[in-house]
Amino acid sequence: MAREHFEDVEVGETRTFGEREVTREEILEFAERYDPQPFHTDETAAADSLFGGLIASGWHTAAMTMELLVTNVFTDLAATGALGVDELRWPSPVRPGDTLTVHTEVIDTEPWNEELGLVRSRTTTLVDGDEVMSMVGLVLYERRER
Amino acid sequence: MAREHFEDVEVGETRTFGEREVTREEILEFAERYDPQPFHTDETAAADSLFGGLIASGWHTAAMTMELLVTNVFTDLAATGALGVDELRWPSPVRPGDTLTVHTEVIDTEPWNEELGLVRSRTTTLVDGDEVMSMVGLVLYERRER
C-alpha cells in the first residue's frame, strides 16, 4: 500500500478517529507503576482532592492517545519517529468509563534533511467533545526517493 | 513533615536523583500496549531501523521519569498536579539495560490564584550523563495559608 510520505502531507489536513474506553483498573495499574500520586491511585484520597474522584495520570492519557495514533494512523504513514512534543496540556481530567477520541490537524511542514521531513500536527484528545489533552507533535516522515 | 510550598520554591533550585534500570521486558510490554511501532516491539525490525536496535517508546521514558519524580521528590512537595509540559524532546534513544537518572532545575515561578502558584522546572533524564529526554514541567503548588 502507498504510505503517505512527507511530500504528500498537506497543511490543514485533518483526521478524527478512535473510540477507546478507559477502565478504572487500567488507571490504577498505570498509576501504581508510573505515577503513584493519591488522586491517581486511591479512590478515597481522590474523592477528597481538587478533582473530586479518581483521574488518570496525564502520562497515561498521552500513552492511550499514542496507542490510538499508532493503531489508526501510523500504518498509513511513512513516519519514522518523533523529535518531541510542544505545548502538551491536560485541560480536564480523564475518569473511569470515559471514551477517548483523537483529532489531528497538520499545522506546518518543513524539510529536515535529504531523507526526512518534519511535520508538526496539533493533536487533541476528546471525551464527549471536551478536550482532555492537546499537544503539537513533531514527527519525522520519510521523503520520496528522487 | 514540612512540605515545600510555593513560597519556599527558589528559582535556580536543583535536584538530581534516581537510578532506575530499564529492562527489555518492560520496553516490550509498554510498547505492545501503547506504542506498537516495530522499533519498539520487534527486535529484528528494530535492528533494521534508523535506531539499529530496540528502543523504548518516548512515552515510556516520560512515564519512567514521572515515576522517579513522584517517588523521589513529590512527597516533599505541596504539588497538586500539572497543567502540562513544554518543549518535550527525546534527543537520544533509551535501550534495554540503560539506567535513568533525573535532574531538575526551577526556571520560573508565578502566583496562579489565591490558593496555588505555578512552578516551571526543566527536567532532564540522563543515561550515563547523556540526555535522553528533556521537558519543562508546569506544576501547581499549594500556597501557604496567610
Side-chain angles (χ1 to χ4, degrees):
Chain A
M1 203 182 72
R3 293 180 307 153
E4 186 174 315
H5 281 65
F6 176 66
E7 290 78 359
D8 309 320
V9 177
E10 285 182 30
V11 172
E13 196 178 298
T14 63
R15 287 184 166 89
T16 301
F17 49 87
E19 194 166 316
R20 185 200 192 284
E21 201 185 333
V22 184
T23 67
R24 180 177 308 271
E25 291 65 38
E26 191 182 4
I27 288 176
L28 294 169
E29 185 191 342
F30 186 100
E32 280 160 11
R33 190 149 179 183
Y34 295 117
D35 193 351
Q37 299 185 80
F39 41 89
H40 297 317
T41 58
D42 177 334
E43 302 266 4
T44 311
D48 290 340
S49 76
L50 293 186
F51 306 110
L54 198 70
I55 64 168
S57 167
W59 297 110
H60 189 194
T61 303
M64 293 185 286
T65 299
M66 190 66 192
E67 177 194 333
L68 289 171
L69 283 163
V70 173
T71 57
N72 289 279
V73 174
F74 275 33
T75 45
D76 298 336
L77 306 180
T80 63
L83 296 181
V85 162
D86 284 331
E87 299 167 43
L88 175 59
R89 294 292 181 278
W90 297 290
S92 40
V94 172
R95 300 178 189 275
D98 282 351
T99 298
L100 306 182
T101 296
V102 173
H103 178 78
T104 63
E105 178 173 358
V106 174
I107 56 178
D108 186 34
T109 65
E110 60 179 281
W112 185 251
N113 61 25
E114 288 292 304
E115 284 89 39
L116 301 170
L118 177 62
V119 177
R120 284 190 185 79
S121 298
R122 180 165 294 281
T123 298
T124 312
T125 312
L126 303 150
V127 171
D128 296 330
D130 293 329
E131 280 191 29
V132 293
M133 196 180 96
S134 67
M135 62 179 176
V136 175
L138 282 61
V139 175
L140 293 172
Y141 282 55
E142 291 170 24
R143 299 174 75 165
R144 291 193 183 281
E145 287 177 39
R146 284 165 298 178
Chain B
M1 203 183 73
R3 292 181 308 154
E4 185 174 316
H5 282 65
F6 176 66
E7 291 78 359
D8 309 320
V9 178
E10 285 181 32
V11 173
E13 197 178 297
T14 63
R15 287 184 167 89
T16 302
F17 50 86
E19 194 166 316
R20 186 200 192 284
E21 200 185 334
V22 184
T23 66
R24 181 177 307 271
E25 292 65 37
E26 191 182 3
I27 288 176
L28 294 169
E29 185 192 343
F30 186 99
E32 281 160 10
R33 190 148 179 183
Y34 295 117
D35 193 351
Q37 300 185 79
F39 41 88
H40 297 317
T41 58
D42 178 333
E43 302 267 3
T44 310
D48 290 339
S49 76
L50 292 185
F51 306 109
L54 197 70
I55 64 168
S57 167
W59 298 110
H60 189 195
T61 304
M64 293 185 286
T65 299
M66 190 66 192
E67 176 194 334
L68 289 172
L69 284 163
V70 173
T71 57
N72 289 280
V73 175
F74 274 35
T75 44
D76 298 336
L77 305 180
T80 63
L83 296 181
V85 161
D86 285 331
E87 298 168 43
L88 175 59
R89 294 292 181 277
W90 297 290
S92 39
V94 172
R95 299 178 189 274
D98 282 351
T99 297
L100 306 182
T101 296
V102 173
H103 178 77
T104 64
E105 178 173 358
V106 174
I107 56 177
D108 186 34
T109 65
E110 60 178 281
W112 184 252
N113 61 25
E114 288 292 302
E115 284 88 40
L116 301 170
L118 178 62
V119 178
R120 284 189 184 80
S121 298
R122 180 165 294 283
T123 298
T124 312
T125 312
L126 303 150
V127 171
D128 295 330
D130 293 328
E131 280 191 29
V132 293
M133 195 180 97
S134 67
M135 62 179 174
V136 176
L138 282 61
V139 175
L140 293 171
Y141 283 55
E142 292 171 23
R143 300 174 75 165
R144 291 194 183 281
E145 287 177 38
R146 283 163 299 176

XYZ file of all heavy atoms in Angstrom, chain A residues 20 26 29-30 33-37 39 50-51 57 59-60 62-68 70-71 74 79-91 116 133 135 138, chain B residues 20 26 29-30 33-37 39 50-51 57 59-60 62-68 70-71 74 79-91 116 133 135 138:
702
model
N -12.023 4.708 22.476
C -11.291 3.835 23.390
C -11.759 4.087 24.804
O -11.593 5.180 25.337
C -9.794 4.135 23.287
C -8.974 3.163 24.119
C -7.611 3.712 24.404
N -6.702 2.730 24.952
C -6.723 2.290 26.209
N -7.637 2.694 27.071
N -5.804 1.439 26.615
N -7.302 -0.024 34.634
C -6.135 0.412 33.873
C -5.571 1.721 34.444
O -4.360 1.915 34.479
C -6.545 0.581 32.412
C -5.354 0.783 31.512
C -5.752 1.007 30.063
O -6.973 1.076 29.756
O -4.833 1.133 29.238
N -3.632 0.638 37.502
C -2.434 -0.140 37.152
C -1.323 0.769 36.630
O -0.162 0.665 37.051
C -2.814 -1.184 36.092
C -1.673 -2.114 35.740
C -1.991 -2.956 34.498
O -3.187 -3.076 34.117
O -1.027 -3.464 33.894
N -1.682 1.684 35.707
C -0.668 2.600 35.165
C -0.106 3.481 36.274
O 1.100 3.672 36.411
C -1.280 3.464 34.053
C -0.263 4.335 33.344
C 0.259 3.950 32.118
C 0.172 5.539 33.889
C 1.211 4.744 31.459
C 1.117 6.332 33.241
C 1.640 5.930 32.021
N 2.259 2.036 38.907
C 3.596 1.792 38.369
C 4.356 3.079 38.069
O 5.538 3.183 38.383
C 3.430 0.996 37.082
C 4.717 0.467 36.547
C 4.426 -0.827 35.839
N 5.581 -1.419 35.255
C 5.518 -2.537 34.538
N 4.353 -3.145 34.338
N 6.601 -3.056 34.031
N 3.690 4.046 37.452
C 4.425 5.197 36.907
C 4.070 6.556 37.522
O 4.811 7.522 37.322
C 4.207 5.274 35.390
C 4.781 4.111 34.631
C 3.973 3.234 33.909
C 6.152 3.869 34.643
C 4.501 2.156 33.212
C 6.697 2.787 33.959
C 5.865 1.942 33.246
O 6.397 0.880 32.563
N 2.949 6.662 38.197
C 2.549 7.983 38.697
C 1.727 7.843 39.979
O 0.548 8.197 40.024
C 1.731 8.710 37.602
C 1.535 10.185 37.893
O 1.870 10.638 39.006
O 1.020 10.896 37.008
N 2.385 7.298 41.044
C 1.638 6.959 42.264
C 1.296 8.170 43.139
O 1.655 8.205 44.318
C 2.570 5.961 42.960
C 3.943 6.333 42.509
C 3.792 6.837 41.096
N 0.573 9.135 42.565
C 0.033 10.228 43.365
C -1.366 9.798 43.813
O -2.083 9.130 43.061
C -0.036 11.513 42.528
C 1.345 11.966 42.046
C 1.294 13.309 41.320
O 1.248 14.342 41.959
N 1.291 13.278 39.992
N -4.350 10.991 44.003
C -5.555 11.202 43.167
C -5.567 10.306 41.930
O -6.547 10.285 41.179
C -5.739 12.682 42.785
C -4.478 13.397 42.412
C -4.022 13.402 41.106
C -3.735 14.066 43.378
C -2.853 14.073 40.756
C -2.555 14.734 43.030
C -2.118 14.731 41.721
N -8.781 18.073 44.863
C -9.358 19.066 43.931
C -10.246 18.428 42.869
O -11.150 19.049 42.344
C -8.239 19.716 43.086
C -7.149 20.626 43.572
C -6.376 21.127 42.344
C -7.725 21.796 44.337
N -9.895 17.170 42.487
C -10.512 16.539 41.324
C -11.828 15.835 41.667
O -12.589 15.472 40.789
C -9.531 15.558 40.679
C -8.205 16.196 40.336
C -7.046 15.875 41.031
C -8.129 17.152 39.336
C -5.829 16.481 40.728
C -6.919 17.766 39.030
C -5.764 17.434 39.736
N -3.580 9.420 35.210
C -2.327 10.158 35.036
C -2.330 10.821 33.659
O -2.741 10.208 32.662
C -1.148 9.184 35.115
O 0.047 9.813 34.655
N 0.163 11.241 31.879
C 1.066 10.427 31.044
C 0.346 9.183 30.534
O 0.684 8.659 29.475
C 2.327 10.065 31.823
C 3.101 11.281 32.195
C 3.256 11.803 33.448
C 3.785 12.185 31.306
N 4.005 12.955 33.387
C 4.342 13.211 32.095
C 3.981 12.219 29.918
C 5.080 14.263 31.544
C 4.718 13.261 29.372
C 5.261 14.265 30.177
N -0.639 8.712 31.285
C -1.463 7.595 30.819
C -2.343 8.060 29.655
O -2.472 7.357 28.649
C -2.302 7.067 31.992
C -3.021 5.794 31.690
N -4.029 5.326 32.485
C -2.888 4.893 30.673
C -4.486 4.184 31.966
N -3.808 3.906 30.883
N -1.613 10.427 27.641
C -0.693 10.559 26.499
C -0.408 9.192 25.872
O -0.407 9.044 24.649
C 0.608 11.215 26.951
N -0.193 8.181 26.713
C 0.104 6.831 26.203
C -1.096 6.269 25.426
O -0.940 5.671 24.351
C 0.479 5.908 27.361
N -2.311 6.487 25.959
C -3.511 5.985 25.259
C -3.736 6.746 23.951
O -4.192 6.166 22.955
C -4.726 6.092 26.179
C -4.643 5.154 27.377
S -6.135 5.138 28.422
C -6.004 6.725 29.269
N -3.405 8.026 23.938
C -3.502 8.812 22.701
C -2.516 8.277 21.670
O -2.849 8.128 20.484
C -3.230 10.299 23.018
O -4.222 10.747 23.944
C -3.261 11.151 21.761
N -1.304 7.947 22.121
C -0.298 7.366 21.217
C -0.811 6.043 20.658
O -0.657 5.771 19.462
C 1.015 7.160 21.970
C 2.164 6.796 21.060
S 2.564 8.178 19.941
C 3.652 7.350 18.778
N -1.412 5.233 21.518
C -1.982 3.952 21.063
C -2.982 4.194 19.918
O -2.957 3.502 18.892
C -2.670 3.280 22.260
C -3.373 1.985 21.937
C -4.308 1.562 23.080
O -4.068 1.924 24.251
O -5.289 0.865 22.768
N -3.862 5.184 20.094
C -4.845 5.480 19.048
C -4.171 5.989 17.776
O -4.581 5.628 16.666
C -5.888 6.488 19.565
C -6.851 5.907 20.598
C -7.715 7.006 21.221
C -7.751 4.845 19.955
N -1.041 5.292 16.743
C -0.282 4.225 16.079
C -1.228 3.227 15.416
O -1.015 2.837 14.268
C 0.662 3.511 17.081
C 1.330 2.303 16.434
C 1.714 4.481 17.601
N -2.298 2.843 16.129
C -3.147 1.775 15.586
C -4.097 2.275 14.496
O -4.505 1.507 13.641
C -3.942 1.067 16.705
O -4.719 2.045 17.410
C -3.012 0.373 17.690
N -0.718 5.525 11.997
C 0.691 5.406 11.623
C 0.965 4.351 10.555
O 1.938 4.471 9.812
C 1.565 5.147 12.860
C 1.966 6.399 13.581
C 1.130 7.511 13.643
C 3.198 6.489 14.214
C 1.511 8.670 14.317
C 3.589 7.644 14.886
C 2.743 8.725 14.938
N 6.087 7.484 8.678
C 6.618 8.209 9.849
C 7.725 7.368 10.470
O 7.604 6.148 10.568
C 5.517 8.463 10.855
N 8.810 8.031 10.877
C 9.970 7.273 11.364
C 10.333 7.577 12.815
O 11.379 7.144 13.287
C 11.220 7.579 10.513
O 11.525 8.974 10.686
C 11.002 7.288 9.065
N 9.491 8.336 13.509
C 9.797 8.656 14.900
C 9.542 10.126 15.153
O 9.361 10.898 14.212
N 9.505 10.502 16.427
C 9.191 11.879 16.808
C 10.396 12.529 17.473
O 11.099 11.901 18.257
C 8.010 11.899 17.770
N 10.621 13.811 17.131
C 11.647 14.583 17.833
C 11.181 14.956 19.226
O 11.966 15.080 20.152
C 11.918 15.898 17.101
C 12.489 15.823 15.705
C 12.707 17.243 15.189
C 13.820 15.067 15.730
N 9.863 15.204 19.316
C 9.327 15.625 20.599
C 7.943 16.196 20.438
O 7.268 15.963 19.430
N 7.523 16.929 21.449
C 6.168 17.457 21.546
C 6.251 18.844 22.180
O 7.008 19.050 23.125
C 5.318 16.502 22.430
C 4.060 17.170 22.937
C 4.986 15.224 21.674
N 5.476 19.784 21.663
C 5.358 21.108 22.285
C 3.947 21.289 22.843
O 2.997 20.660 22.366
C 5.632 22.208 21.256
C 7.122 22.345 20.947
O 7.946 22.051 21.831
O 7.445 22.742 19.809
N 3.839 22.178 23.799
C 2.528 22.624 24.313
C 1.613 21.469 24.714
O 0.425 21.468 24.376
C 1.820 23.496 23.257
C 2.578 24.756 22.899
C 2.019 25.430 21.638
O 0.783 25.520 21.502
O 2.823 25.858 20.790
N 2.162 20.504 25.429
C 1.341 19.411 25.969
C 0.520 19.952 27.143
O 1.080 20.510 28.084
C 2.275 18.283 26.425
C 1.686 17.076 27.130
C 0.662 16.357 26.264
C 2.807 16.102 27.520
N -0.796 19.817 27.065
C -1.678 20.336 28.116
C -2.756 19.313 28.457
O -3.209 18.569 27.579
C -2.387 21.623 27.654
C -1.459 22.805 27.428
C -0.846 23.335 28.719
N 0.025 24.468 28.498
C 1.309 24.395 28.104
N 1.868 23.223 27.877
N 2.019 25.488 27.960
N -3.153 19.327 29.732
C -4.244 18.468 30.203
C -5.347 19.360 30.768
O -5.416 19.568 31.992
C -3.709 17.515 31.276
C -2.661 16.562 30.773
C -2.855 15.514 29.911
C -1.253 16.540 31.106
N -1.647 14.859 29.696
C -0.664 15.461 30.410
C -0.443 17.328 31.930
C 0.698 15.149 30.503
C 0.921 17.020 32.021
C 1.469 15.940 31.317
N -6.209 19.942 29.924
C -7.182 20.931 30.403
C -8.289 20.352 31.282
O -8.846 21.077 32.105
C -7.765 21.536 29.121
C -7.466 20.548 28.045
C -6.226 19.815 28.450
N 14.505 13.002 5.186
C 13.366 13.161 6.096
C 12.777 14.572 6.044
O 13.481 15.534 5.727
C 13.810 12.868 7.537
C 14.392 11.480 7.820
C 15.010 11.421 9.215
C 13.322 10.403 7.679
N -6.787 16.485 26.485
C -5.351 16.668 26.243
C -5.156 17.328 24.888
O -5.943 17.112 23.970
C -4.629 15.305 26.255
C -3.125 15.418 26.410
S -2.278 13.803 26.416
C -1.807 13.719 24.683
N -1.654 18.673 22.241
C -0.196 18.780 22.070
C 0.104 19.045 20.602
O -0.739 18.819 19.739
C 0.499 17.486 22.516
C 0.114 16.243 21.732
S 1.009 14.761 22.329
C 0.243 13.481 21.314
N 5.938 16.682 16.841
C 6.977 16.965 15.832
C 7.466 15.621 15.301
O 8.316 14.971 15.925
C 8.149 17.706 16.480
C 7.970 19.209 16.759
C 6.833 19.494 17.715
C 9.263 19.779 17.341
N 17.401 4.055 37.876
C 16.344 3.125 37.527
C 16.719 2.378 36.274
O 16.866 2.979 35.202
C 15.043 3.907 37.285
C 13.859 2.973 37.052
C 12.747 3.676 36.362
N 11.512 2.928 36.366
C 11.249 1.862 35.588
N 12.167 1.387 34.766
N 10.068 1.284 35.639
N 10.171 -4.757 29.960
C 9.297 -3.624 30.225
C 9.135 -2.749 28.969
O 8.054 -2.220 28.709
C 9.886 -2.808 31.382
C 8.928 -1.772 31.893
C 9.523 -0.926 33.018
O 10.713 -1.109 33.364
O 8.776 -0.070 33.525
N 6.639 -4.621 26.857
C 5.297 -4.626 27.450
C 4.611 -3.273 27.266
O 3.439 -3.204 26.861
C 5.425 -4.967 28.943
C 4.087 -5.108 29.639
C 4.230 -5.165 31.165
O 5.357 -5.418 31.679
O 3.213 -4.926 31.837
N 5.330 -2.184 27.554
C 4.740 -0.854 27.391
C 4.389 -0.619 25.922
O 3.302 -0.148 25.583
C 5.714 0.226 27.882
C 5.120 1.617 27.887
C 4.627 2.178 29.061
C 5.045 2.377 26.719
C 4.064 3.462 29.074
C 4.489 3.655 26.714
C 3.999 4.194 27.900
N 1.418 -2.386 24.323
C 0.131 -1.842 24.759
C -0.129 -0.445 24.202
O -1.228 -0.146 23.766
C 0.150 -1.778 26.286
C -1.163 -1.459 26.886
C -1.235 -2.162 28.207
N -2.461 -1.915 28.899
C -2.713 -2.396 30.114
N -1.807 -3.134 30.734
N -3.863 -2.147 30.699
N 0.893 0.418 24.239
C 0.633 1.840 23.976
C 1.341 2.418 22.755
O 0.991 3.513 22.312
C 1.020 2.671 25.210
C 0.173 2.386 26.422
C 0.732 1.862 27.588
C -1.198 2.634 26.400
C -0.053 1.603 28.708
C -1.988 2.371 27.508
C -1.402 1.859 28.663
O -2.190 1.600 29.768
N 2.354 1.758 22.244
C 3.130 2.365 21.145
C 3.722 1.271 20.262
O 4.938 1.120 20.151
C 4.241 3.248 21.745
C 4.892 4.160 20.710
O 4.614 4.009 19.497
O 5.704 5.016 21.116
N 2.814 0.485 19.613
C 3.277 -0.703 18.872
C 3.900 -0.375 17.515
O 3.461 -0.877 16.482
C 2.007 -1.543 18.748
C 0.880 -0.556 18.779
C 1.337 0.567 19.680
N 4.956 0.447 17.522
C 5.744 0.661 16.306
C 6.875 -0.372 16.322
O 7.408 -0.700 17.390
C 6.308 2.084 16.281
C 5.211 3.153 16.310
C 5.782 4.561 16.158
O 6.098 4.989 15.061
N 5.923 5.274 17.272
N 10.037 -0.552 15.824
C 11.326 -0.326 16.518
C 11.177 -0.336 18.037
O 12.175 -0.267 18.755
C 12.023 0.950 16.028
C 11.114 2.124 15.808
C 10.818 2.988 16.845
C 10.547 2.348 14.560
C 9.962 4.068 16.647
C 9.695 3.432 14.354
C 9.404 4.298 15.400
N 16.447 2.937 11.622
C 17.406 4.027 11.895
C 18.138 3.824 13.224
O 19.252 4.294 13.405
C 16.666 5.348 12.128
C 15.903 6.124 11.090
C 15.452 7.434 11.740
C 16.769 6.415 9.882
N 17.435 3.188 14.199
C 17.931 3.141 15.575
C 18.900 1.979 15.814
O 19.599 1.947 16.816
C 16.757 3.071 16.552
C 15.758 4.178 16.348
C 14.499 3.934 15.824
C 16.103 5.489 16.659
C 13.582 4.968 15.616
C 15.196 6.529 16.452
C 13.934 6.265 15.927
N 9.701 3.372 23.873
C 8.797 4.455 23.471
C 9.166 5.720 24.249
O 9.459 5.663 25.449
C 7.352 4.054 23.825
O 6.494 5.186 23.719
N 7.152 7.844 25.214
C 6.124 7.980 26.265
C 6.447 7.085 27.450
O 6.070 7.386 28.585
C 4.731 7.701 25.701
C 4.372 8.682 24.631
C 4.257 8.427 23.290
C 4.117 10.088 24.801
N 3.950 9.582 22.635
C 3.848 10.614 23.523
C 4.091 10.944 25.903
C 3.555 11.972 23.318
C 3.800 12.286 25.703
C 3.532 12.782 24.436
N 7.126 5.978 27.191
C 7.572 5.112 28.282
C 8.673 5.829 29.072
O 8.662 5.821 30.314
C 8.069 3.782 27.696
C 8.358 2.737 28.724
N 9.078 1.619 28.440
C 8.041 2.650 30.052
C 9.186 0.880 29.542
N 8.565 1.482 30.518
N 8.985 8.988 29.359
C 8.277 10.029 30.126
C 7.626 9.427 31.377
O 7.698 9.996 32.470
C 7.231 10.711 29.250
N 7.009 8.259 31.222
C 6.338 7.606 32.359
C 7.363 7.209 33.434
O 7.138 7.409 34.633
C 5.552 6.383 31.876
N 8.522 6.685 33.013
C 9.552 6.289 33.986
C 10.148 7.521 34.665
O 10.488 7.485 35.858
C 10.640 5.465 33.291
C 10.127 4.112 32.815
S 11.422 3.028 32.106
C 11.719 3.805 30.513
N 10.253 8.620 33.922
C 10.735 9.873 34.520
C 9.736 10.364 35.568
O 10.128 10.793 36.666
C 10.937 10.928 33.405
O 11.919 10.435 32.494
C 11.372 12.265 33.976
N 8.442 10.250 35.249
C 7.414 10.641 36.221
C 7.504 9.775 37.468
O 7.406 10.279 38.591
C 6.025 10.516 35.583
C 4.923 11.113 36.421
S 5.133 12.928 36.557
C 3.934 13.287 37.857
N 7.719 8.475 37.283
C 7.880 7.564 38.421
C 9.019 8.049 39.327
O 8.869 8.106 40.562
C 8.185 6.162 37.879
C 8.461 5.125 38.937
C 9.080 3.860 38.329
O 8.862 3.562 37.129
O 9.815 3.168 39.061
N 10.145 8.414 38.738
C 11.283 8.907 39.537
C 10.942 10.227 40.229
O 11.317 10.435 41.393
C 12.528 9.048 38.655
C 13.148 7.712 38.221
C 14.246 7.929 37.187
C 13.704 6.960 39.434
N 7.887 11.294 41.149
C 6.886 11.093 42.204
C 7.516 10.384 43.405
O 7.315 10.794 44.545
C 5.659 10.304 41.677
C 4.701 9.957 42.818
C 4.929 11.115 40.616
N 8.311 9.349 43.148
C 8.818 8.560 44.274
C 9.992 9.229 44.990
O 10.212 8.989 46.165
C 9.214 7.130 43.832
O 10.187 7.230 42.786
C 8.016 6.356 43.314
N 8.148 14.213 44.901
C 6.822 14.788 45.130
C 6.331 14.666 46.567
O 5.535 15.486 47.016
C 5.796 14.190 44.159
C 5.743 14.897 42.829
C 6.888 15.436 42.249
C 4.548 15.022 42.130
C 6.844 16.079 41.015
C 4.500 15.670 40.913
C 5.642 16.190 40.350
N 2.731 19.772 45.862
C 2.353 19.852 44.440
C 0.971 19.227 44.267
O 0.669 18.203 44.874
C 3.374 19.129 43.579
N 0.119 19.870 43.455
C -1.269 19.399 43.342
C -1.648 18.948 41.947
O -2.810 18.683 41.683
C -2.249 20.510 43.751
O -2.075 21.588 42.821
C -1.992 21.011 45.144
N -0.676 18.878 41.043
C -0.993 18.450 39.676
C -0.299 19.354 38.677
O 0.221 20.400 39.040
N -0.293 18.914 37.423
C 0.429 19.657 36.384
C -0.551 20.184 35.349
O -1.502 19.494 34.969
C 1.443 18.754 35.711
N -0.316 21.424 34.902
C -1.096 21.966 33.781
C -0.668 21.323 32.474
O -1.473 21.164 31.560
C -0.841 23.464 33.641
C -1.275 24.364 34.773
C -0.955 25.812 34.406
C -2.769 24.197 35.027
N 0.638 21.030 32.407
C 1.155 20.477 31.171
C 2.656 20.531 31.134
O 3.312 20.698 32.167
N 3.180 20.398 29.925
C 4.614 20.302 29.692
C 4.932 21.035 28.388
O 4.193 20.921 27.418
C 5.011 18.798 29.581
C 6.343 18.614 28.911
C 4.986 18.143 30.957
N 6.024 21.796 28.370
C 6.506 22.421 27.139
C 7.829 21.797 26.728
O 8.576 21.273 27.569
C 6.716 23.928 27.351
C 5.399 24.693 27.385
O 4.426 24.245 26.740
O 5.334 25.731 28.066
N 8.125 21.890 25.440
C 9.455 21.522 24.918
C 9.890 20.111 25.322
O 11.036 19.910 25.726
C 10.512 22.537 25.390
C 10.260 23.946 24.906
C 11.143 24.976 25.629
O 12.341 24.715 25.813
O 10.606 26.047 26.006
N 8.985 19.163 25.207
C 9.339 17.757 25.455
C 10.161 17.244 24.269
O 9.720 17.331 23.124
C 8.039 16.951 25.608
C 8.122 15.442 25.762
C 8.947 15.037 26.970
C 6.716 14.849 25.867
N 11.365 16.749 24.548
C 12.249 16.271 23.475
C 12.894 14.947 23.876
O 13.164 14.717 25.055
C 13.386 17.279 23.219
C 12.929 18.611 22.657
C 12.391 18.495 21.245
N 11.983 19.777 20.704
C 10.783 20.361 20.947
N 9.890 19.777 21.715
N 10.505 21.519 20.394
N 13.149 14.121 22.855
C 13.839 12.849 23.056
C 15.108 12.846 22.201
O 15.122 12.289 21.094
C 12.902 11.701 22.640
C 11.656 11.593 23.472
C 11.572 11.204 24.777
C 10.291 11.854 23.065
N 10.261 11.215 25.203
C 9.455 11.605 24.168
C 9.701 12.269 21.864
C 8.062 11.755 24.116
C 8.331 12.432 21.816
C 7.519 12.175 22.931
N 16.182 13.477 22.670
C 17.372 13.652 21.822
C 18.141 12.364 21.526
O 18.806 12.278 20.506
C 18.243 14.632 22.609
C 17.751 14.571 24.007
C 16.304 14.190 23.948
N -2.994 28.693 44.813
C -1.957 27.941 44.094
C -0.936 28.851 43.408
O -1.248 29.998 43.068
C -2.614 27.056 43.010
C -3.642 26.028 43.495
C -4.391 25.414 42.311
C -2.969 24.927 44.315
N 15.955 12.560 27.483
C 14.686 13.297 27.437
C 14.859 14.616 28.164
O 15.611 14.708 29.137
C 13.561 12.484 28.097
C 12.172 13.007 27.772
S 10.842 12.039 28.564
C 10.567 13.072 30.001
N 12.289 18.265 29.251
C 10.975 18.924 29.182
C 10.934 20.038 30.217
O 11.741 20.074 31.142
C 9.851 17.919 29.458
C 9.885 17.298 30.842
S 8.478 16.144 31.082
C 8.900 15.453 32.691
N 5.058 22.238 34.036
C 4.281 23.349 34.606
C 3.434 22.781 35.745
O 2.352 22.237 35.500
C 3.365 23.949 33.536
C 4.003 24.890 32.503
C 5.081 24.214 31.679
C 2.919 25.431 31.577
